[in-house]
Amino acid sequence: QVQLVESGGGLVQAGGSLRLSCRNSGGTFGSRVMGWFRQPAGKEREFVAAANYVGGSTDYADSVRGRFTISRDNVENVLYLQMNSLKPEDTAVYYCAARQAYDWGIEHASKEWKYWGQGTQVTVSS
């Protein structure tokens, strides 16, 4: 059973850093492809970053490339999103997501992702 739980959100000043964590309360991560999305208030959910942990590939949205890093601790079964040089426009609810266990591709469309966490708020003040 996949039950993703995010943590680590909060309020930070522009230029600061936060690290988000995502655990599967149902056990180990069974998905090859895991990622992060975000949804600013009043806007649609958007792709942030993802990684294929079998193929070794990663992908980032242009808006976060070079500032955010996705990683996974396979021993502790935790997915991370390290966010540096945060900007006010990074303010959003951030969601951890996982594709089906047999899916290999990194997809930017949220409808292609099967499992979702409840979200954690990140607010960046100017």
Side-chain angles (χ1 to χ4, degrees):
Q1 187 175 3
V2 179
Q3 293 181 314
L4 303 177
V5 180
E6 304 97 336
S7 61
L11 174 65
V12 64
Q13 288 189 330
S17 298
L18 280 176
R19 188 177 74 164
L20 305 183
S21 301
C22 173
R23 295 178 181 269
N24 177 16
S25 62
T28 60
F29 289 129
S31 299
R32 297 176 174 89
V33 181
M34 300 198 64
W36 293 91
F37 284 73
R38 67 186 182 187
Q39 187 165 16
K43 297 185 179 181
E44 293 186 355
R45 194 169 298 189
E46 62 185 21
F47 173 82
V48 174
N52 179 324
Y53 288 102
V54 174
S57 60
T58 58
D59 192 18
Y60 294 89
D62 289 342
S63 59
V64 307
R65 187 173 289 113
R67 300 188 296 122
F68 291 10
T69 303
I70 187 171
S71 62
R72 189 167 86 172
D73 184 327
N74 289 321
V75 174
E76 297 294 331
N77 289 298
V78 182
L79 181 74
Y80 296 105
L81 183 68
Q82 178 66 44
M83 305 185 295
N84 298 328
S85 301
L86 283 161
K87 305 175 181 180
E89 51 263 42
D90 294 317
T91 296
V93 177
Y94 283 71
Y95 296 91
C96 173
R99 298 202 71 199
Q100 293 270 26
Y102 49 78
D103 286 328
W104 286 77
I106 293 177
E107 297 285 347
H108 287 207
S110 59
K111 66 181 178 66
E112 300 294 336
W113 295 70
K114 174 71 173 180
Y115 305 103
W116 294 89
Q118 82 289 351
T120 185
Q121 177 70 46
V122 171
T123 302
V124 184
S125 63
S126 57

